[in-house]
Amino acid sequence: MKKKIIAAVGLAAVLAVSTPLSAEAAITWTAPGCTSTGVCMKRGDGTPIGYDGTGTLTISQGNIRSVAAGTRRTTVKLATGTTYVVEATKMITFPNALQTVVSISR
């Protein structure tokens, strides 16, 4: 068991050293829930779905009622083709129907 842990730590160190800085600047899922700095989407049933970081991420999150931008301006593209720009610290709510978010950029 100790050998596996040491190998995993060694591999992580190699990846951290060889990973370019641009690869570290990515949007990642922050489940469960949301962070205060990241994008926070709420489903129709109130379940929070969070993403944090910078860059662009292609996703497919359905049944979304609202999107909060966190601390960065965030661009949200819906499956309908509509794109919203949500300013930092602001939130948008989709009044007519639940939406499917297909990408986020920040």
Side-chain angles (χ1 to χ4, degrees):
M1 187 67 160
K2 288 183 182 179
K3 289 181 182 179
K4 290 181 184 178
I5 292 171
I6 292 170
V9 170
L11 178 59
V14 169
L15 289 175
V17 170
S18 63
T19 303
L21 290 177
S22 60
E24 292 176 17
I27 297 176
T28 58
W29 186 40
T30 59
C34 299
T35 66
S36 61
T37 60
V39 178
C40 188
M41 296 183 234
K42 293 243 176 138
R43 291 186 186 261
D45 65 1
T47 303
I49 301 166
Y51 292 89
D52 208 350
T54 59
T56 299
L57 181 65
T58 300
I59 58 174
S60 182
Q61 286 291 345
N63 300 316
I64 301 299
R65 168 65 66 204
S66 65
V67 178
T71 57
R72 295 180 184 267
R73 174 188 286 178
T74 302
T75 301
V76 178
K77 185 173 181 181
L78 304 180
T80 62
T82 304
T83 300
Y84 292 89
V85 176
V86 186
E87 295 298 325
T89 73
K90 303 298 180 191
M91 180 178 80
I92 59 169
T93 301
F94 306 116
N96 297 330
L98 300 176
Q99 301 293 328
T100 297
V101 175
V102 295
S103 75
I104 51 177
S105 298
R106 35 195 340 250

